[in-house]
Amino acid sequence: MPLSPLRVILSSFLPSSAAESTVRRVESCPPLARPRGLRWAPQLRRTPSSGDTLAAARLDFADALHDVRNRASLDAQSRIAVTRSLHELWHFREEVFSLVACRHDQAEAARRLTLLNRHFARTAADRRSHRSAAPEP
């Protein structure tokens, strides 16, 4: 029995269809913006390379928009250039995705977003391992 179009659409939102699908959702989390108390201060110390990390992430975000030529893209690029942290930059992911999807398609936007997500930890365990691997100043 063929599935109705509505059933196909609705089944894509149900958890049971995730096992059948070959597409996997990768979740990324924003980095912590600032320490919440003194006990967090040692864990969030700036490393000598943290400025380089932010600069590299800014460049990757700008590269993701390199062929999108419109006012919204220029505005986003200028705001990306002055971000002060990875946490601020994380919030630009949706805007970059939207701009690229409008210029190309969602598949290309998803591919570029995957490249941007490498700058952000995916789970709390990734964040902990990233912090423990950072050199002490």
Side-chain angles (χ1 to χ4, degrees):
M1 178 170 93
L3 295 175
S4 71
L6 180 60
R7 180 146 178 94
V8 171
I9 292 171
L10 291 176
S11 68
S12 67
F13 294 107
L14 298 175
S16 63
S17 68
E20 300 167 8
S21 175
T22 59
V23 178
R24 294 182 183 209
R25 181 173 175 223
V26 176
E27 184 176 327
S28 70
C29 303
L32 293 173
R34 60 187 158 161
R36 301 241 181 228
L38 294 177
R39 64 185 170 165
W40 292 98
Q43 295 175 356
L44 297 175
R45 259 186 258 157
R46 291 194 75 134
T47 62
S49 64
S50 64
D52 296 338
T53 304
L54 179 59
R58 283 181 187 153
L59 289 174
D60 285 348
F61 271 73
D63 285 345
L65 293 171
H66 76 280
D67 59 348
V68 181
R69 305 275 186 208
N70 58 31
R71 186 172 292 192
S73 173
L74 293 174
D75 179 52
Q77 288 179 24
S78 65
R79 288 182 287 128
I80 286 168
V82 296
T83 55
R84 296 173 290 178
S85 68
L86 284 174
H87 188 275
E88 284 183 34
L89 200 55
W90 185 82
H91 293 285
F92 282 98
R93 294 167 52 259
E94 181 180 352
E95 188 170 356
V96 169
F97 181 90
S98 176
L99 290 167
V100 173
C102 287
R103 171 72 169 92
H104 297 286
D105 59 11
Q106 285 187 348
E108 177 63 17
R111 186 187 71 75
R112 293 186 190 188
L113 190 63
T114 300
L115 294 173
L116 297 178
N117 282 342
R118 68 187 174 93
H119 294 287
F120 310 104
R122 286 188 287 263
T123 64
D126 288 345
R127 261 191 244 114
R128 282 192 299 272
S129 68
H130 179 66
R131 271 190 246 136
S132 64
E136 291 294 323

